[in-house]
Amino acid sequence: MKSTESDLPENNDKKMENLAPHTEDSTGQLMTTNTGLLLNDDTSSLKAGERGPSLLEDFYLREKITHFDHERIPERVVHARGVAAHGYFQAYNNSLNKYTKAKFLTDPSRKTPVFLRFSTVAGFRGSSDLARDVRGFAVKFYTDEGNFDLVGNNMPVFFIQDAIKFPDLIHAVKPEPHNEIPQAASAHDTFWDFISLTPEAMHMIMWVMSDRAIPRSLRMMEGFGVNTYRFVNEEGKATFVKFHFKPTLGVHSVAWDEALKISGKDPDFHRRDLHEAIEAGAYPEWEFGVQLVAQEDEHKFDFDLLDPTKLIPEELVPVQPVGKLVLDRNPDNYFAETEQVAFHPGHVVPGIDFTNDPLLQGRLFSYTDTQLTRLGGPNFQEIPINRPLNTVHNNQRDGHMRQQINKGKTSYHPNTIGGGCPFQAMISDGGFKHFEERVEGNKIRARSKSFMDFFSQATLFYNSMSEPEQTHLSDALRFELGKVDIQDIRNRMVGLLTFVDKTLAKRVAEGLGMDVPEPQQPVNHQLGADADPKHYEPVFKKPAVEKSAALSMANTAKNSIKTRQIAFLAADGVDADSLAAVKEALEAEGAVVRVVAPHNGFIADSAGAQIKVDKSFLTASSVLVDAVYIPAGQKSVAALLNEPDAIHFINEAYRHCKAIAADGEGAELIKATYVGSKLNEQAGSDASAGIIIDDGGNSKLAADFIDAIKQHRFWEREKKDKVPA
Ligand code: HDD
């Protein structure tokens, strides 16, 4: 559409004045080429005659198509699928002063901007959010002293102990090279082949096979720094530190059957959930905490602090809350921000330093290296999302896409011509100084013997699970190994499981229709033929604690229904009061109500008012919501009884152990489902947990429903039923 003269802005640049640098807003602007030439026609290419060939002279056509041809950059080799948000971090107090000189952690008056990118690891950029996988949890803190990146995961340990095995691990889990199958899934031969030969992975395998690998929301996951880092204080004294983020909404997951269905119904489920929550002002929050270990206590544990396959049980070292991290702004542009952000565990600030964890040491090389290919050269730090708050001064120059215009003649140090600038900072001015760790030893390719306990924390994790969590874990292993074609791999895996827990091994073996192999000394197949086995022989230990409460999601916070999605199944004639009263009660607690009806548009309630339909049964699904309510209203319920999708909705919500409530005639719909028959048979038993029906006797339906939603799931229903859904 052409603009009329009166629409024209006085000056095409005027509107840009109020924008932050690097942002563009086309509102009210005229279209230009990339050189700023005002464009009069973006619709037709330049031709020799109306029906003639296009002309090479058409500089605009060539500019536009060339730009388009180069719109894609290589995706991340791992963690390709991601979503991010802006926010801030603020310390509660200065309690960390004793341990670190990092100002953003010790000065409660500072509000440090952050950018947090969540990701899955194995899938391509377009893969489903609900793959069984580790989730990346990478935070960039834009501190006044430079950027600090905490590049962590939602699980506190890792598969391997040494970065040299990372390419092998990733090659094994990624789609198989001959046919590029499967997408975003570890359930295939090559992954389990590698794992079955790598006993050090067993602890991490417990985490990845647990419900942590299928989160309900990115807002309901923990974050962990995984590797052990060091704090360094003003006096140069160091303390070991492990970083934790605990979500205020608690840690929650979906069921595996649900995850599979979400992958089809809404593969963007997590990214949509994050985006919508932030747009609605329900800002995701985490408490940031640390586990601190004095330098002199380095060897006091029965595991090695440098071994990234181990966690420090919170019973041994509690997590101290340090501050709050809040996400309160969605990116303006996915590519410019989320895709181009470059994280690196080596981005540290004074007060934070590394340990000799061999995984971390390798990571310190990998992350800059990968950006050179992904972002095209050494100037990626100049991309707006990667720039620090403070200005950058050094003698690095030139290269692809250089943005900075360095003034002056000198680009070397030392110099006199430039007055010696830029100067090196004194440590007292905040200059970074590496922690002076004393190091000595032979040059040797080996692992420490203190890394050779592969099973005790895998057992600790399994023992800390609730019964339903243990069942989910063994079901996940049955699923994954069930997709493995090579029997030897299954045998080796079940063999390794016997060292974690014999019952677990038995349950998995039963599912696979095989016998549990006789326990054999696990062999570390990574060994070269002439390697000294003394360095690699597995060691068997009893964990110092037998159970750790923090490892089970059953012990998480269950005190809020904020941002939970509740489907109201309704049709014309729905009882106005029954709908409005429960809606009001749920919304007052921060939940989101979605009216699901046989058709889009509007339905008329019993009082004749028009109720907006959020989704029809065609596009809605029980797997996309947390709970279901069926309001009263004879006509509405009669219509729903004729709607097979409504019956399925309830059966499926029941199968996935969600809270279900019905008011008045709404109970008829429940009775018509499989759930109804179960309720009759087993009233008052586990089968009816989380089902709230007001057939005249329950005056506090909304309150009971809210309590039920807070529980997240009634997993106890699971083992009672095999619902046809
Ligand atoms: Fe890594 C990306 C987390 C081990 C090499 N890693 C990447 C991301 C996260 C992690 C969250 C995505 C960052 C983003 O959103 O852009 N990685 C971890 C954790 C590890 C770990 C918690 C173990 C403690 N990673 C690890 C090793 C290596 C790498 C051992 C290589 C030696 N990771 C990479 C990488 C990536 C990456 C190839 C891909 C894209 C990127 O770095 O920027 O360099």
Side-chain angles (χ1 to χ4, degrees):
M1 201 175 77
K2 293 217 173 89
S3 49
T4 62
E5 214 161 274
S6 59
D7 295 335
L8 289 182
E10 268 172 45
N11 172 339
N12 216 27
D13 289 329
K14 266 270 163 65
K15 286 251 164 78
M16 302 297 286
E17 278 166 15
N18 295 332
L19 290 176
H22 316 293
T23 52
E24 188 263 355
D25 180 357
S26 299
T27 319
Q29 299 293 315
L30 296 179
M31 196 181 270
T32 71
T33 64
N34 286 336
T35 52
L37 178 71
L38 286 177
L39 271 170
N40 155 266
D41 186 341
D42 184 44
T43 308
S44 304
S45 55
L46 189 69
K47 302 182 191 74
E50 278 175 9
R51 300 183 60 250
S54 296
L55 298 178
L56 191 60
E57 183 189 326
D58 189 348
F59 57 82
Y60 178 55
L61 172 74
R62 280 186 283 118
E63 176 192 277
K64 187 174 175 182
I65 302 285
T66 303
H67 198 278
F68 170 76
D69 289 345
H70 298 269
E71 276 178 4
R72 294 290 170 273
I73 59 171
E75 65 173 37
R76 288 166 175 82
V77 58
V78 286
H79 296 267
R81 172 134 185 116
V83 60
H86 294 273
Y88 64 87
F89 168 78
Q90 196 159 15
Y92 292 140
N93 50 44
N94 64 0
S95 64
L96 284 183
N97 252 340
K98 273 190 285 189
Y99 306 102
T100 176
K101 56 183 170 183
K103 298 209 175 56
F104 80 102
L105 287 175
T106 52
D107 177 358
S109 71
R110 283 178 200 228
K111 220 169 163 182
T112 302
V114 301
F115 190 64
L116 201 174
R117 184 175 181 273
F118 303 98
S119 46
T120 50
V121 179
F124 295 130
R125 250 190 80 179
S127 53
S128 161
D129 281 347
L130 261 290
R132 172 176 293 285
D133 201 350
V134 189
R135 297 301 183 288
F137 195 108
V139 192
K140 193 178 280 295
F141 296 83
Y142 301 89
T143 87
D144 294 335
E145 301 170 289
N147 290 350
F148 167 56
D149 292 354
L150 192 49
V151 199
N153 282 339
N154 75 330
M155 299 176 189
V157 291
F158 203 65
F159 295 94
I160 47 167
Q161 296 172 326
D162 191 313
I164 202 164
K165 296 311 291 174
F166 191 68
D168 300 284
L169 166 73
I170 301 304
H171 288 173
V173 71
K174 282 268 183 182
E176 298 188 7
H178 60 304
N179 56 11
E180 211 173 64
I181 297 174
Q183 173 62 228
S186 51
H188 60 112
D189 282 3
T190 57
F191 177 69
W192 289 102
D193 185 27
F194 175 80
I195 294 296
S196 67
L197 302 171
T198 310
E200 72 203 49
M202 286 315 287
H203 185 195
M204 181 64 165
I205 285 299
M206 292 296 114
W207 284 83
V208 185
M209 293 301 117
S210 81
D211 293 344
R212 302 264 181 163
I214 39 172
R216 156 64 183 86
S217 161
L218 302 168
R219 304 173 292 116
M220 300 172 196
M221 306 187 315
E222 280 178 282
F224 301 91
V226 182
N227 302 110
T228 305
Y229 288 81
R230 269 195 175 92
F231 272 159
V232 183
N233 68 9
E234 291 288 354
E235 287 76 49
K237 189 170 181 296
T239 306
F240 292 108
V241 57
K242 290 252 189 210
F243 295 111
H244 295 250
F245 295 93
K246 292 184 185 274
T248 15
L249 293 177
V251 190
H252 302 288
S253 291
V254 297
W256 176 236
D257 177 68
E258 209 181 347
L260 292 172
K261 289 172 176 166
I262 295 173
S263 288
K265 303 262 183 193
D266 185 6
D268 303 306
F269 185 70
H270 281 153
R271 85 170 38 174
R272 190 187 310 284
D273 165 273
L274 180 70
H275 185 92
E276 286 180 353
I278 294 175
E279 287 301 299
Y283 300 140
E285 275 182 16
W286 284 263
E287 183 151 79
F288 184 54
V290 292
Q291 283 177 300
L292 298 174
V293 176
Q295 193 77 10
E296 48 279 17
D297 290 340
E298 178 173 0
H299 302 293
K300 119 172 173 190
F301 302 97
D302 60 359
F303 53 88
D304 197 324
L305 283 179
L306 303 187
D307 174 358
T309 66
K310 303 295 184 299
L311 51 83
I312 311 179
E314 291 185 28
E315 286 72 12
L316 301 183
V317 180
V319 176
Q320 299 182 26
V322 170
K324 189 171 266 191
L325 183 130
V326 179
L327 297 181
D328 59 3
R329 183 162 65 87
N330 279 312
D332 289 312
N333 183 281
Y334 183 91
F335 182 86
E337 302 180 81
T338 310
E339 190 58 13
Q340 292 201 114
V341 67
F343 292 96
H344 184 5
H347 295 162
V348 287
V349 291
I352 302 178
D353 213 314
F354 316 112
T355 61
N356 295 333
D357 169 345
L359 195 73
L360 177 60
Q361 292 285 318
R363 295 182 75 194
L364 294 177
F365 165 72
S366 185
Y367 289 73
T368 304
D369 184 50
T370 203
Q371 311 309 344
L372 299 180
T373 306
R374 199 169 72 78
L375 298 170
N379 289 320
F380 61 87
Q381 302 284 23
E382 295 189 331
I383 297 172
I385 193 70
N386 294 326
R387 289 187 175 190
L389 293 179
N390 40 3
T391 44
V392 171
H393 303 285
N394 58 42
N395 292 309
Q396 295 169 36
R397 290 291 185 274
D398 309 344
H400 275 292
M401 306 292 171
R402 182 66 169 178
Q403 310 287 305
Q404 187 132 321
I405 301 171
N406 299 101
K407 297 210 307 192
K409 276 210 296 201
T410 55
S411 51
Y412 53 88
H413 172 91
N415 70 66
T416 57
I417 296 172
C421 303
F423 306 116
Q424 299 172 105
M426 309 267 285
I427 297 163
S428 55
D429 288 336
F432 185 84
K433 179 174 180 276
H434 289 267
F435 173 65
E436 287 187 14
E437 184 184 5
R438 189 177 160 71
V439 182
E440 61 182 8
N442 294 336
K443 211 187 277 180
I444 179 171
R445 272 192 200 276
R447 301 242 181 122
S448 167
K449 195 135 183 58
S450 55
F451 278 36
M452 292 302 121
D453 160 25
F454 304 136
F455 300 100
S456 72
Q457 288 205 351
T459 306
L460 166 66
F461 181 79
Y462 186 70
N463 286 345
S464 304
M465 301 280 93
S466 65
E467 216 183 300
E469 285 174 306
Q470 289 187 337
T471 307
H472 296 170
L473 200 151
S474 60
D475 285 351
L477 280 162
R478 284 175 171 201
F479 176 92
E480 296 268 319
L481 296 173
K483 289 210 162 199
V484 161
D485 288 332
I486 299 169
Q487 186 59 36
D488 276 354
I489 299 177
R490 291 179 176 171
N491 292 345
R492 283 200 299 270
M493 272 319 302
V494 176
L496 282 177
L497 291 175
T498 58
F499 294 99
V500 178
D501 184 273
K502 296 223 161 37
T503 349
L504 171 66
K506 193 161 164 278
R507 285 167 88 169
V508 175
E510 272 167 16
L512 298 172
M514 58 182 269
D515 295 328
V516 178
E518 280 302 306
Q520 284 176 1
Q521 183 77 350
V523 183
N524 197 333
H525 293 263
Q526 298 181 30
L527 277 182
D530 56 356
D532 180 352
K534 278 209 295 297
H535 279 293
Y536 294 89
E537 265 167 27
V539 177
F540 296 92
K541 287 185 177 169
K542 227 171 123 45
V545 287
E546 276 180 20
K547 282 185 180 190
S548 177
L551 303 185
S552 167
M553 288 164 48
N555 302 323
T556 195
K558 292 179 181 167
N559 53 8
S560 164
I561 65 162
K562 270 192 201 136
T563 72
R564 294 312 185 111
Q565 308 266 331
I566 321 298
F568 278 32
L569 308 191
D572 284 331
V574 60
D575 186 285
D577 292 340
S578 174
L579 187 145
V582 177
K583 183 171 189 291
E584 200 177 302
L586 293 175
E587 287 178 347
E589 297 278 326
V592 181
V593 168
R594 305 272 188 212
V595 175
V596 178
H599 57 77
N600 288 112
F602 291 85
I603 50 172
D605 71 17
S606 56
Q610 293 287 298
I611 307 283
K612 189 176 173 312
V613 174
D614 295 297
K615 283 206 155 66
S616 75
F617 281 107
L618 200 60
T619 53
S621 168
S622 88
V623 299
L624 305 177
V625 300
D626 294 289
V628 189
Y629 173 56
I630 307 115
Q634 206 160 21
K635 194 172 153 211
S636 165
V637 171
L640 295 176
L641 281 165
N642 276 327
E643 185 67 63
D645 285 342
I647 307 285
H648 180 71
F649 208 99
I650 294 166
N651 279 337
E652 198 177 45
Y654 182 80
R655 173 169 180 188
H656 298 142
C657 306
K658 296 175 183 176
I660 301 174
D663 184 25
E665 294 87 1
E668 296 303 315
L669 190 64
I670 294 194
K671 285 190 194 130
T673 66
Y674 180 78
V675 185
S677 66
K678 279 288 129 185
L679 291 185
N680 284 342
E681 272 171 36
Q682 305 178 20
S685 72
D686 280 353
S688 59
I691 313 285
I692 296 115
I693 294 182
D694 183 357
D695 41 13
N698 184 351
S699 56
K700 49 185 188 51
L701 174 101
D704 287 352
F705 190 33
I706 288 168
D707 282 346
I709 302 168
K710 282 182 187 167
Q711 297 310 306
H712 181 61
R713 296 299 163 93
F714 294 85
W715 298 121
E716 61 271 32
R717 282 198 327 233
E718 213 170 25
K719 53 180 182 190
K720 306 279 177 213
D721 288 291
K722 292 268 180 280
V723 190

